[in-house]
Amino acid sequence: MGKDNKLHIILLGRRNSGKSSLINALTGQNIAIVSDVAGTTTDLVKRSYEIPDFASVIFIDTAGIDDTGALGEMRVEKTRNAI
Ligand SMILES: Nc1nc2c(ncn2[C@@H]2O[C@H](COP(=O)(O)OP(=O)(O)O)[C@@H](O)[C@H]2O)c(=O)[nH]1
Ligand SMILES: [Mg+2]
């Protein structure tokens, strides 16, 4: 199966809801920056991940869907495009 046919798992939620922490915990890698500052994740973070005994999937970490301001709206737009 080609890369684009892989299952994509996209993490959606408000800022500071723990999306980046979850992707780091699931993959056991420090892929996405985690902090208590809302709006830490800006660009999409995409990572291939092999779920043991299941399949190779692609995780996509996103900025909060509640991000505000001019830059925030651009981030939300990027998230919508990813969906
Ligand atoms: N108490 C608690 N804090 C968490 C949990 N998951 C994440 N956090 C904290 O919540 C804050 C935001 O986490 P982050 O993963 O950056 O959220 P994101 O903005 O949705 O990516 C960080 O300070 C994390 O350490 C959790 O399950 N429990
Ligand atoms: Mg984040």
Side-chain angles (χ1 to χ4, degrees):
M1 198 183 276
K3 193 176 182 211
D4 290 337
N5 295 327
K6 286 182 184 171
L7 173 63
H8 287 57
I9 299 177
I10 185 164
L11 297 172
L12 300 172
R14 293 183 181 174
R15 286 171 293 174
N16 262 335
S17 58
K19 301 179 297 298
S20 298
S21 300
L22 179 64
I23 198 171
N24 287 345
L26 288 175
T27 61
Q29 301 167 38
N30 205 23
I31 289 172
I33 298 171
V34 168
S35 91
D36 57 6
V37 178
T40 295
T41 305
T42 54
D43 285 315
L44 301 177
V45 177
K46 268 190 187 185
R47 283 294 180 275
S48 291
Y49 176 62
E50 184 80 30
I51 298 180
D53 301 320
F54 181 65
S56 181
V57 303
I58 297 176
F59 275 116
I60 305 175
D61 189 19
T62 66
I65 51 167
D66 62 341
D67 214 339
T68 57
L71 281 175
E73 281 167 24
M74 287 166 74
R75 292 172 192 143
V76 172
E77 182 63 24
K78 275 193 173 181
T79 299
R80 290 215 181 90
N81 289 340
I83 297 169

